[in-house]
Amino acid sequence: MRAWIPPQHGVWAMLLLPFLAGLRLGLDWWHAPLLVGWLTGWLASHHFLVGVKTRRWAKVRPQVLTFGAVCAASLVPVAVARPAVLWFVPVFATLVGVNVWLTAIGHERSTINGIASVTMASQMALIVPVTAGLDWRPAIPLAVLTWLYLVGTVVYVKSMIREHGSRPHYWVSVTYHAAALGVVTLWEPWLGVVFAALLIRAAWLPRRPRMKAAVIGAVETVLAVAVLISELAMPL
């Protein structure tokens, strides 16, 4: 199973949060193939990037071809039925290009690569309404709030795992979360409650002994649910 589904616990919050937030504007049965295509597309890209990094293409070829085929079979009908979704393709392609390039030069764990990935994911909050035949502009606040949270997870998780104990990375994470708290509080004061909790975890948990990745992922899942609830409740 690990050869097909990577044990990256926190990534599912990144994939599902913007999708679920976008559903707030309206439901459509085309959302089902969109979700399948989105998840299998990420899985295909993950294994492709593993191939780029390791050059062991034979090991990842079955996963890339299988997930890629399911992704295409799911998304092509969506694009035919809702051609407006194609307007998002150039941005997606550019960000995927950033992922491929940074992986090829050995910087797949860089902060820039992480931000490119969460920027790609945040667009789903806009794509979901378009898939329902709706205007994407009312969903901009949802995409922005999702992006602010997900960028925070990039710098926070780095301070918890690969750079645990690094004071520069710790303070980058704390400073970012403090700035994000200020932004959302000015924007919608009650959102500050959720982002204050994010700041507390960014300031407190990295100072504790190293935690298991599964525990870090579980904490982020709970916080992602809190962010989602705030997105569903915020005025648009």
Side-chain angles (χ1 to χ4, degrees):
M1 180 63 70
R2 290 170 65 91
W4 286 80
I5 307 297
Q8 297 183 14
H9 308 281
V11 77
W12 300 107
M14 179 190 77
L15 296 173
L16 293 175
L17 175 61
F19 186 94
L20 295 174
L23 292 176
R24 174 183 169 178
L25 274 71
L27 298 172
D28 189 275
W29 77 275
W30 283 111
H31 287 143
L34 176 68
L35 179 60
V36 173
W38 170 231
L39 297 180
T40 55
W42 181 83
L43 289 167
S45 68
H46 168 81
H47 291 290
F48 177 80
L49 292 174
V50 170
V52 170
K53 177 182 178 180
T54 64
R55 302 296 192 271
R56 298 171 64 183
W57 293 105
K59 185 175 181 179
V60 298
R61 187 176 295 115
Q63 294 91 327
V64 172
L65 294 178
T66 301
F67 288 128
V70 175
C71 175
S74 301
L75 295 186
V76 169
V78 174
V80 172
R82 300 285 192 261
V85 300
L86 296 176
W87 286 104
F88 296 92
V89 170
V91 178
F92 258 87
T94 300
L95 294 171
V96 169
V98 171
N99 289 159
V100 172
W101 175 62
L102 289 173
T103 300
I105 64 175
H107 294 299
E108 70 279 359
R109 299 291 185 179
S110 68
T111 300
I112 295 175
N113 201 35
I115 292 175
S117 296
V118 301
T119 301
M120 193 186 318
S122 298
Q123 287 186 92
M124 289 304 296
L126 308 176
I127 295 173
V128 167
V130 172
T131 304
L134 303 171
D135 186 358
W136 58 271
R137 287 171 292 186
I140 291 176
L142 301 174
V144 171
L145 193 66
T146 298
W147 186 85
L148 287 172
Y149 164 67
L150 291 177
V151 170
T153 66
V154 172
V155 292
Y156 160 71
V157 171
K158 189 173 289 290
S159 73
M160 288 291 289
I161 300 179
R162 295 181 66 86
E163 301 296 341
H164 186 264
S166 168
R167 291 187 64 81
H169 284 86
Y170 171 80
W171 284 111
V172 166
S173 176
V174 171
T175 301
Y176 173 84
H177 282 87
L181 172 60
V183 169
V184 300
T185 302
L186 290 174
W187 176 12
E188 196 70 51
W190 64 271
L191 290 174
V193 175
V194 176
F195 275 76
L198 298 176
L199 173 59
I200 290 170
R201 72 93 158 82
W204 178 48
L205 293 182
R207 301 176 71 91
R208 294 173 56 81
R210 189 183 296 271
M211 299 169 62
K212 293 182 179 180
V215 176
I216 297 172
V219 171
E220 285 310 295
T221 299
V222 173
L223 292 171
V225 171
V227 173
L228 176 61
I229 292 172
S230 69
E231 290 179 327
L232 297 179
M234 67 186 294
L236 296 178

